[in-house]
Amino acid sequence: MAKGKVRKHTAKEIQKKIDSHRSKGGGKKGAAARKPKCKLVCKVCMLQSPSITTLAIHYSNKHPRVPFNPADYGVVEEEKQTKPAPKKPAAAPKEEKQKSYPPNDKIKVALTKLYTEKAPEKLGNIDKIMTKYDGKWDKLEEGLSKKFGAIDLNAMCK
């Protein structure tokens, strides 16, 4: 004897039955769904386009020899032009000079000293930190400052 409950119908069969009773968009109810969503049609190839800008792009790509005139599609040039996007003020050029850092061996000694005082459990990670931040000492300094307060690697190495 079989244990458990025997299924009479599979999930696929049940879903098929449910779908058969759903509206498929026919008749008056589905008329709106069957209407084209695009309001413009290319007069050369009858391609439907949602906006005048995409129609202009279509003309330039597919019909380069045919001149595109928005007035043919009931769009006046003033309507086509929208508000220009507000311009962002130009960012001031950064005048920060790259900070120079001491050699790697001095930085390693400074990190060992810092971790001995503040986080002795991290002493084993110093070699990984040195390889990860090699040449990116400003990022290391920023991270250490967030974690341990204001830290200056140059001052620590002297």
Side-chain angles (χ1 to χ4, degrees), residues 46-105:
M46 303 306 285
L47 178 90
Q48 295 179 353
S49 178
S51 70
I52 195 71
T53 53
T54 55
L55 191 61
I57 293 168
H58 165 75
Y59 258 84
S60 65
N61 291 333
K62 300 296 180 183
H63 316 295
R65 294 188 180 132
V66 179
F68 176 69
N69 187 3
D72 293 343
Y73 295 94
V75 177
V76 183
E77 285 297 317
E78 289 81 31
E79 289 179 20
K80 183 183 166 195
Q81 294 175 353
T82 58
K83 276 187 185 178
K87 292 184 180 179
K88 293 180 181 178
K94 292 183 180 178
E95 298 199 15
E96 285 185 35
K97 290 184 178 178
Q98 286 288 350
K99 200 173 179 183
S100 62
Y101 289 97
N104 290 0
D105 56 338

Side-chain angles (χ1 to χ4, degrees), residues 16-148:
K16 191 175 181 181
K17 185 176 181 183
I18 292 169
D19 289 341
S20 68
H21 294 291
R22 282 198 183 133
S23 171
K24 294 182 181 143
K28 289 182 182 177
K29 289 183 179 178
R34 291 190 306 268
K35 280 191 175 179
K37 310 262 185 299
C38 300
K39 57 183 179 180
L40 302 170
V41 178
C42 175
K43 294 189 179 185
V44 178
C45 65
M46 303 306 285
L47 178 90
Q48 295 179 353
S49 178
S51 70
I52 195 71
T53 53
T54 55
L55 191 61
I57 293 168
H58 165 75
Y59 258 84
S60 65
N61 291 333
K62 300 296 180 183
H63 316 295
R65 294 188 180 132
V66 179
F68 176 69
N69 187 3
D72 293 343
Y73 295 94
V75 177
V76 183
E77 285 297 317
E78 289 81 31
E79 289 179 20
K80 183 183 166 195
Q81 294 175 353
T82 58
K83 276 187 185 178
K87 292 184 180 179
K88 293 180 181 178
K94 292 183 180 178
E95 298 199 15
E96 285 185 35
K97 290 184 178 178
Q98 286 288 350
K99 200 173 179 183
S100 62
Y101 289 97
N104 290 0
D105 56 338
K106 288 189 176 184
I107 291 177
K108 188 173 183 177
V109 170
L111 279 177
T112 307
K113 186 177 173 184
L114 174 73
Y115 278 124
T116 305
E117 295 171 7
K118 307 247 178 172
E121 67 276 0
K122 304 264 184 179
L123 279 170
N125 297 343
I126 289 179
D127 290 326
K128 290 180 185 177
I129 292 169
M130 291 296 293
T131 55
K132 181 178 179 181
Y133 290 101
D134 189 21
K136 303 176 227 164
W137 303 121
D138 52 337
K139 289 189 179 190
L140 174 65
E141 192 174 60
E142 185 180 314
L144 290 173
S145 295
K146 284 181 183 176
K147 197 169 199 175
F148 301 119

